[in-house]
Amino acid sequence: MTTVPTFQNYIDGEWSASLTGATFDNVNPADTRDVVGRFQASGEADALAAVRAAAAAFGAWKRLAPGARAKILLDAAAYLERHAARFGEELTREEGKQKALAKDEFMRAAQTLRFYAVEAQSFGGETFPGDDAGMDVYTLREPLGVVTVISPWNFPVSIPARKIAPALVCGNTVVFKPASDAPLSGLRLTEAFVEAGIPKGVLNFVTGSASAVGPVLVGAREVRAISFTGSTAAGEQIHRAASLSTRTQMELGGKNPLIVLDASDIERAVDLTIKGGFSLAGQACTGTSRVLVTRGIRAAFVERLAAKTAALVVGSGMQAGVDVGPLATAGQLRTVLDYIETGKREATLVCGGERIMQGDCAHGYFVMPTIFAGVPRDARIAREEIFGPVIAVIDVDGYDDAIAVANDSEYGLAAALVTQDARLMHRFASDIEAGTVKINRTTTGNLVNAPFGGLKRSSTATFRESGRDGLDFYLQTKTVYRGV
Ligand code: NAP
């Protein structure tokens, strides 16, 4: 029998056990008999110690030369790259996505660190002309102080990397709480910074349930900013709980449409639907969950989609040739199966619609890729985020009707259109209410060097993540009037 490793918090420069003395298990969703590791079930006192360590470290870290901060990011990136294959396998074991995708996620996290190491060396203020010849007026852009980073399980290393890298390189200190369902990848990210020589207190890592550590990480008076990615319900709660002087950046849920018109290339539309809807078992915030198809091609589209979906291989992300892995958590499995039962009452089940309990899938959270057609516009499966391998095909009458249906949603994260009509491409980019607009590409996927974020209830209407814009959240502006 293999022994289960126990992992610790990282607070004030030390790997340490929680003061509660309790731990929780991180389980493999492809085989729940496999416990990936035990993590600290931290409480309020641990969270407070982490916040205070970050506050104490802020002054010296802020004064460190930007080049020295950037060097730590570059060394941490190199560490992640060196260990990407092993860390990727761990990510697959704790979250379920395919091994190649998991390794890519570590490489992408490293790329993010490298991007911010360079980008942050050129942020600056402005100078302003004035009537007083003896006075200079300019702005200083400075770090905020202690930043809380709270991340979800679906991208357990790339999402925290795109928050922690800009936070640190701008001179903030960080308390990082990973999702309890995939904490090991976040621990590896923390370890990369530790190996790179980050000074004590500058980055702190605390595992534990949202209810136990959340109130301190959100409400402690030292916390100047909270960058959160997760569900809209949790994001809204955190945003409301934060004080007036605490900045928030919330990246939340989605119900992302792909629009297919009579003139669209059906094969291409089917491939984009499958890739956008079923990769990561539908657990991407930008995953395709609604396909809006004009009536003229609906039957042909659904037939091809069903045939290709039925050929997908479901299984453990550790196995070669697998297209769709497990759902990441027991809760997610329950939610998705509930929505499938709802869908059976609301629309026509075309394929899938069941949990897989046979063979290698017997001990995991596997669900067949599922398609519903003839989905009414007001159906729950047409409107609510499911976050699983379930696609709702909705009939529309043409481009204008498709836009009206696409925009009739509380969410506005990502949207795509399949077309070769250049005029429609431009119209779509302007008509659609989504922060990420794709044309002839999947709703999923975004670049490290471009801004990312949602509209409406997919995001707080504050700051973008990623790219150069991603720095703005972590900097505040002072205006200086210097007379001689
Ligand atoms: P979640 O349940 O909201 O949890 C996300 C993180 O927040 C976890 O670390 C969780 O801790 C913590 N948390 C939850 N409530 C909290 C509170 N009141 N105070 C402090 N921390 C709290 O979301 P999830 O199930 O992990 O992720 C799936 C959701 O994330 C989907 O809705 C998806 O669309 C969204 N998502 C959005 C984006 C984007 O960029 N827009 C990207 C990826 C995912 P515990 O794990 O301990 O509960």
Side-chain angles (χ1 to χ4, degrees):
M1 212 176 73
T2 52
T3 50
V4 176
T6 298
F7 296 97
Q8 298 190 309
N9 288 332
Y10 187 74
I11 298 175
D12 204 16
E14 302 284 343
W15 292 103
S16 54
S18 161
L19 297 168
T20 65
T23 59
F24 65 92
D25 287 355
N26 175 21
V27 170
N28 180 346
D31 183 345
T32 55
R33 297 166 301 180
D34 175 26
V35 179
V36 179
R38 297 223 149 90
F39 287 81
Q40 303 303 312
S42 309
E44 267 182 30
D46 302 297
L48 202 54
V51 170
R52 295 211 166 128
F58 174 59
W61 181 246
K62 173 187 166 183
R63 285 190 297 276
L64 195 67
R69 295 197 297 256
K71 168 86 168 60
I72 289 177
L73 267 70
L74 294 173
D75 289 351
Y79 183 84
L80 293 177
E81 284 157 353
R82 268 200 311 282
H83 299 287
R86 176 163 67 88
F87 293 171
E89 288 197 5
E90 290 175 347
L91 198 169
T92 298
R93 262 181 81 206
E94 73 172 347
E95 196 272 346
K97 69 181 65 169
Q98 290 100 308
K99 235 167 36 168
L101 297 179
K103 181 180 170 196
D104 279 356
E105 194 180 325
F106 270 95
M107 296 304 284
R108 184 184 171 84
Q111 189 193 2
T112 301
L113 268 50
R114 290 190 185 285
F115 173 81
Y116 282 114
V118 174
E119 199 59 44
Q121 297 199 47
S122 55
F123 72 77
E126 283 181 279
T127 57
F128 299 88
D131 291 340
D132 180 346
M135 183 171 71
D136 298 327
V137 182
Y138 61 94
T139 52
L140 274 180
R141 297 188 82 202
E142 292 191 332
L144 308 168
V146 177
V147 174
T148 292
V149 167
I150 303 176
S151 57
W153 42 260
N154 67 334
F155 289 100
V157 65
S158 63
I159 288 180
R162 78 178 181 220
K163 298 173 185 293
I164 292 171
L168 290 178
V169 81
C170 289
N172 301 280
T173 54
V174 171
V175 180
F176 167 30
K177 183 209 135 19
S180 300
D181 288 298
L184 182 51
S185 300
L187 181 139
R188 295 304 185 205
L189 178 62
T190 305
E191 182 182 296
F193 283 103
V194 174
E195 292 294 317
I198 197 154
K200 80 180 187 120
V202 172
L203 173 62
N204 304 274
F205 172 80
V206 184
T207 54
S209 72
S211 57
V213 298
V216 170
L217 299 185
V218 171
R221 76 183 156 72
E222 294 89 342
V223 172
R224 288 281 163 273
I226 305 163
S227 183
F228 168 89
T229 299
S231 59
T232 295
E236 211 154 37
Q237 194 187 338
I238 293 170
H239 184 59
R240 289 217 176 100
S243 83
L244 197 62
S245 57
T246 305
R247 264 188 200 182
T248 64
Q249 173 185 58
M250 307 275 138
E251 292 305 335
L252 310 172
K255 188 73 185 171
N256 312 294
L258 174 90
I259 297 177
V260 187
L261 304 173
D262 277 359
S264 302
D265 174 342
I266 291 187
E267 276 311 305
R268 186 170 202 182
V270 165
D271 289 344
L272 292 173
T273 302
I274 288 182
K275 202 162 169 227
F278 294 139
S279 59
L280 304 177
Q283 301 168 115
C285 54
T286 49
T288 305
S289 56
R290 301 183 281 161
V291 191
L292 316 184
V293 189
T294 44
R295 292 179 209 278
I297 54 157
R298 202 264 267 169
F301 174 81
V302 170
E303 190 186 324
R304 284 303 291 149
L305 182 63
K308 285 199 165 175
T309 300
L312 294 173
V313 178
V314 181
S316 162
M318 286 293 189
Q319 288 164 14
V322 160
D323 299 304
V324 181
L327 292 168
T329 73
Q332 208 50 39
L333 175 70
R334 274 194 304 277
T335 302
V336 170
L337 292 174
D338 281 353
Y339 272 112
I340 287 176
E341 289 315 307
T342 302
K344 287 176 183 170
R345 291 191 295 275
E346 293 181 323
T348 307
L349 178 67
V350 176
C351 64
E354 277 171 44
R355 182 176 181 184
I356 308 174
M357 299 282 293
Q358 298 83 34
D360 289 346
C361 293
H363 298 283
Y365 304 141
F366 295 95
V367 171
M368 293 167 80
T370 298
I371 294 166
F372 288 101
V375 179
R377 296 167 184 205
D378 59 352
R380 286 185 58 204
I381 61 165
R383 305 191 73 82
E384 296 174 17
E385 184 182 52
I386 299 174
F387 221 56
V390 180
I391 289 172
V393 180
I394 301 169
D395 297 349
V396 290
D397 290 325
Y399 173 81
D400 290 331
D401 192 33
I403 291 293
V405 174
N407 287 344
D408 181 20
S409 169
E410 60 179 340
Y411 296 112
L413 193 53
L417 169 69
V418 186
T419 186
Q420 290 304 315
D421 180 338
R423 276 183 319 122
L424 269 193
M425 294 178 187
H426 290 299
R427 269 184 72 191
F428 177 63
S430 143
D431 292 343
I432 194 72
E433 295 170 0
T436 300
V437 181
K438 298 285 194 81
I439 295 152
N440 299 320
R441 290 292 183 273
T442 54
T443 52
T444 49
N446 57 289
L447 290 177
V448 161
N449 58 352
F452 175 76
L455 305 182
K456 302 196 277 190
R457 293 188 76 218
S458 290
S459 195
T460 32
T462 52
F463 295 83
R464 284 288 181 251
E465 279 199 328
S466 194
R468 180 176 293 177
D469 290 29
L471 293 169
D472 292 340
F473 180 70
Y474 300 100
L475 292 165
Q476 61 192 357
T477 302
K478 279 182 186 161
T479 310
V480 183
Y481 295 78
R482 184 180 63 186
V484 287

